[in-house]
Amino acid sequence: MRIALIHALRHSPPPVEEAFARLWPEPKLMNLLDDSLSSDLAAAGRITDDITRRFLELSAYAVSTGADAILFTCSAFGPCIAACAAKYPNIPVLKPNEAMIEEAAGMARRVGLLATFAPTLASMPPEFPRGMTVVPKLAEGALAALDRGDVEAHDQLAALAAADLRDCDVIALAQFSLARAADAVARATGLKVLSTPDCAVLKLRQLLKAA
């Protein structure tokens, strides 16, 4: 079984690979990375037709290799991923956050959404069900710290930002790269913390084993 992982941030592969190794090691993983997508989105300030086209091309390549499923790992590109899912209805095509959102909806009414990539906080909140309160919070400087290899500063900045979400029922970590800070965020808030890699891997396992 082959699962294609499509990334727009270069920090995303390790956490999802770790989640697969721990929760479902059997599939063969295939990583496709175009980290210019995230910088192009930040520069444009919106999803463009060109960005969507590039997502469709990456998906087409993954399907051409025989991928049984596609998991995207960057939360800021929801409309692009929806276009890919519509084009390939015969295989699971998952947004990075949909499984986590489903789990959050089953346990909480007020969710703290912690992100390190600002565009995510514009695109992701509407994906939560009606009736849920989503409290967005950007961990300023955390992604830049990760970019320069300072993982301790990344985790500290994530925990510091999460402290403002203590009045929520649960905290959802928007980026795959934030999964490494889950324990620090939990200690800073005393709340349950959901990470996108674990939730996504478990949902894919359920979907593909059922098929």
Side-chain angles (χ1 to χ4, degrees):
M1 182 179 295
R2 179 193 296 266
I3 296 177
L5 308 172
I6 300 182
H7 315 283
L9 288 170
R10 61 187 176 89
H11 308 296
S12 298
V16 70
E17 289 175 339
E18 186 278 332
F20 269 103
R22 179 166 36 86
L23 299 171
W24 190 28
E26 290 82 7
K28 181 177 182 180
L29 303 182
M30 168 187 179
N31 288 287
L32 298 176
L33 168 65
D34 180 357
D35 58 357
S36 70
L37 285 164
S38 54
S39 58
D40 289 348
L41 174 59
R46 62 183 180 86
I47 299 290
T48 64
D49 290 343
D50 181 64
I51 289 174
T52 301
R53 174 188 60 77
R54 290 157 65 189
F55 266 77
L56 288 166
E57 289 175 351
L58 287 166
S59 296
Y61 178 74
V63 170
S64 76
T65 70
D68 298 289
I70 300 173
L71 173 60
F72 290 90
T73 65
C74 191
S75 312
F77 297 91
C80 303
I81 299 168
C84 297
K87 188 170 182 180
Y88 300 106
N90 295 325
I91 64 171
V93 178
L94 265 62
K95 294 180 181 179
N97 41 47
E98 64 182 270
M100 182 179 68
I101 289 172
E102 290 172 4
E103 186 167 344
M107 66 172 59
R109 303 296 294 175
R110 183 177 176 86
V111 178
L113 181 62
L114 184 67
T116 55
F117 185 55
T120 299
L121 296 179
S123 65
M124 191 170 165
E127 297 178 17
F128 283 81
R130 289 184 179 181
M132 293 188 72
T133 299
V134 179
V135 184
K137 180 66 180 181
L138 180 66
E140 296 273 4
L143 187 56
L146 202 57
D147 285 339
R148 63 177 182 267
D150 192 344
V151 294
E152 290 186 7
H154 167 270
D155 295 357
Q156 290 169 358
L157 289 167
L160 182 64
D164 291 341
L165 301 173
R166 288 193 187 103
D167 61 342
C168 296
D169 302 318
V170 66
I171 293 178
L173 302 180
Q175 267 74 53
F176 271 55
S177 54
L178 260 172
R180 58 160 295 106
D183 289 344
V185 169
R187 288 193 298 269
T189 61
L191 298 176
K192 182 173 180 60
V193 177
L194 300 177
S195 72
T196 42
D198 282 13
C199 294
V201 169
L202 291 172
K203 179 168 183 175
L204 265 182
R205 185 179 68 179
Q206 179 184 21
L207 289 172
L208 288 170
K209 287 195 171 182

